[in-house]
Amino acid sequence: MTVTEIAIIQVHAGITDSTLRDTFSRAITVQDAWHARAFPDRPSSASARAVAGFRGIDDETQILLTTSWGSVEEHWAWILSDDNKQQMEGSDLTKIIANQGPPNQPGGLILFHLDTNIFGNNQATTAEDVIALLDSPVISVERFLVDTEKKESFAATLQKVEASMEKVVHPHLVRSGRSVACETGEAFVLVSGWSCVESHTQEFVASSQSFLYSQLAGIASSVETHHYRRFL
């Protein structure tokens, strides 16, 4: 099962887009080489693995990195590899990243995996009049925490919300996934492409399609929404 890695990293204030792009590009080159050695029968380029970097619009110190992996275990093999450890201990990454603790621990980055290929399967297969998520000027990433007993109701409503939102976001896309091995109940993520933040926060909210989304948010125990623009 292909999974989507979502890593949310905090960087120090004042880091420019060009510095972010150069620093993470060097790190991704190392990852590409490791992946090619570990999985020689699979495409290992960053584009083939839907590697991308996004910067927070409301908070520019918040960075979202995403990659498609063959499994959660495959990603952890990279995390525990000597190549990755050397990068985190002695590369330029350490100069710009503020949260360098273990993933999902105090002081560490936020890391989770979604049970579908959110970004990687819509870049090459979409019609000419559709804008892939990786090409959208803005994406929204909404994470919902859901009590276990409500997960089926939430999942059914989420499907309706996606179908409803597609009418509003077109020519952009909307995709969703469920977190794998979430430690706190159930977690779902909804990713949508937009021309600008206002298209989401004003035009969609004012549209007739937003009533289903209100139902979705009502089922969840918490909702966290962030907007990002791609830099890598």
Side-chain angles (χ1 to χ4, degrees):
M1 176 184 69
T2 301
V3 299
T4 299
E5 169 201 352
I6 300 289
I8 300 174
I9 297 171
Q10 208 75 23
V11 297
H12 297 294
I15 304 295
T16 65
D17 278 5
S18 60
T19 297
L20 286 174
R21 191 177 301 110
D22 292 345
T23 303
F24 282 108
S25 292
R26 287 192 292 270
I28 290 167
T29 298
V30 175
Q31 188 184 84
D32 288 349
W34 174 88
H35 192 277
R37 295 194 304 272
F39 307 100
D41 59 333
R42 303 228 308 272
S44 295
S45 67
S47 59
R49 296 183 297 114
V51 178
F54 298 86
R55 188 166 200 169
I57 292 176
D58 298 324
D59 179 3
E60 289 204 336
T61 67
Q62 188 175 96
I63 305 301
L64 185 150
L65 298 179
T66 182
T67 304
S68 297
W69 296 93
S71 65
V72 175
E73 292 75 19
E74 179 179 303
H75 183 207
W76 274 102
W78 157 251
I79 292 174
L80 298 174
S81 70
D82 290 338
D83 297 61
N84 184 53
K85 290 178 181 178
Q86 289 171 6
Q87 286 202 103
M88 297 310 298
E89 293 172 359
S91 75
D92 291 339
L93 285 173
T94 59
K95 299 176 182 178
I96 67 172
I97 296 177
N99 53 345
Q100 295 185 28
N104 302 325
Q105 298 297 319
L109 60 85
I110 298 172
L111 175 65
F112 55 93
H113 302 86
L114 304 176
D115 63 354
T116 187
N117 198 351
I118 292 284
F119 295 97
N121 61 357
N122 60 68
Q123 191 171 31
T125 60
T126 51
E128 290 184 0
D129 63 338
V130 174
I131 301 172
L133 286 173
L134 291 183
D135 295 328
S136 293
V138 171
I139 64 166
S140 61
V141 179
E142 302 176 82
R143 192 180 188 198
F144 304 84
L145 293 182
V146 181
D147 294 336
T148 302
E149 62 271 18
K150 296 180 179 180
K151 67 178 181 180
E152 299 303 331
S153 173
F154 185 91
T157 305
L158 181 59
Q159 284 189 328
K160 296 177 183 178
V161 167
E162 277 194 73
S164 176
M165 287 185 68
E166 284 177 351
K167 303 173 184 178
V168 180
V169 304
H170 185 83
H172 301 277
L173 295 174
V174 55
R175 296 287 185 266
S176 68
R178 180 184 294 187
S179 289
V180 179
C182 180
E183 296 179 357
T184 55
E186 298 286 335
F188 295 79
V189 172
L190 183 68
V191 182
S192 309
W194 307 92
S195 59
C196 61
V197 174
E198 290 73 22
S199 295
H200 183 205
T201 60
Q202 296 178 20
E203 295 174 21
F204 170 68
V205 171
S207 73
S208 60
Q209 309 299 328
S210 64
F211 77 98
L212 271 175
Y213 180 88
S214 299
Q215 295 179 17
L216 190 72
I219 299 172
S221 57
S222 69
V223 183
E224 188 174 298
T225 302
H226 295 283
H227 295 93
Y228 298 91
R229 57 179 176 82
R230 188 177 180 187
F231 71 89
L232 176 66

